[in-house]
Amino acid sequence: MQVTICRNEHFNAAHRLHNPAWSAEQNQRVFGKCNNPNYHGHNYNLTVRLTGPVDPETGYVYDTKRLSDLIKREVLDRYDHRNLNLDTEEFRTLNPTAENIAVAIWQRLRPLLDASLALSVTLYETDRNFVEYHG
């Protein structure tokens, strides 16, 4: 029997979508307002899902308090109220699109979880724009 548990979290962060290999015009054409040289921010909503067997002794797939603590340490403490381009190592050279942020979160969490658990990350940049990454 496989069950999926979910943890929702929230963080605020600024970023600028920009490709340094492109001209200012091409960056503006592709990224529009998201290419603002002074950055812009989002109120990100994050859902982390773990799928696996239910432990017969605890009744858990994974303790949600442990998951909450893991997300706080690995994601929220790192990204919340930060400028992703300037304040985080991974996005100094990687364009901080929602897609790349979701993958980076997955990559931070995956090594810290048992391999028997399937991990999925959903990141909402707005209520209508979100991405999912399953590894």
Side-chain angles (χ1 to χ4, degrees):
M1 169 178 61
Q2 298 282 304
V3 175
T4 299
I5 65 160
C6 305
R7 176 71 187 180
N8 290 324
E9 294 289 353
H10 176 85
F11 64 95
N12 302 307
H15 70 159
R16 179 187 187 203
L17 302 185
H18 184 80
N19 184 331
W22 293 352
S23 68
E25 294 77 21
Q26 185 175 4
N27 271 291
Q28 183 59 43
R29 187 172 61 254
V30 172
F31 299 121
K33 292 188 278 185
C34 294
N35 184 245
N36 182 341
N38 295 316
Y39 306 92
H40 70 283
H42 291 283
N43 299 316
Y44 291 98
N45 287 307
L46 170 67
T47 302
V48 174
R49 292 177 180 82
L50 298 177
T51 302
V54 175
D55 182 310
E57 292 182 11
T58 65
Y60 290 157
V61 170
Y62 193 89
D63 182 345
T64 54
K65 173 63 172 129
R66 284 181 56 212
L67 182 57
S68 173
D69 292 345
L70 179 67
I71 295 167
K72 180 181 183 325
R73 184 179 72 242
E74 297 298 323
V75 180
L76 304 183
D77 289 349
R78 187 174 189 88
Y79 297 154
D80 191 32
H81 287 83
R82 302 280 195 264
N83 181 314
L84 297 177
N85 301 77
L86 302 177
D87 298 334
T88 65
E89 195 61 39
E90 56 266 47
F91 297 114
R92 292 210 176 142
T93 58
L94 181 64
N95 210 3
T97 61
E99 293 88 339
N100 285 335
I101 298 167
V103 170
I105 291 170
W106 188 95
Q107 290 172 335
R108 290 196 65 76
L109 297 176
R110 177 73 273 174
L112 304 173
L113 297 163
D114 190 277
S116 68
L117 298 170
L119 170 63
S120 176
V121 169
T122 303
L123 183 69
Y124 285 81
E125 193 172 68
T126 70
D127 289 340
R128 291 184 245 176
N129 297 330
F130 63 96
V131 299
E132 293 183 339
Y133 184 66
H134 307 284

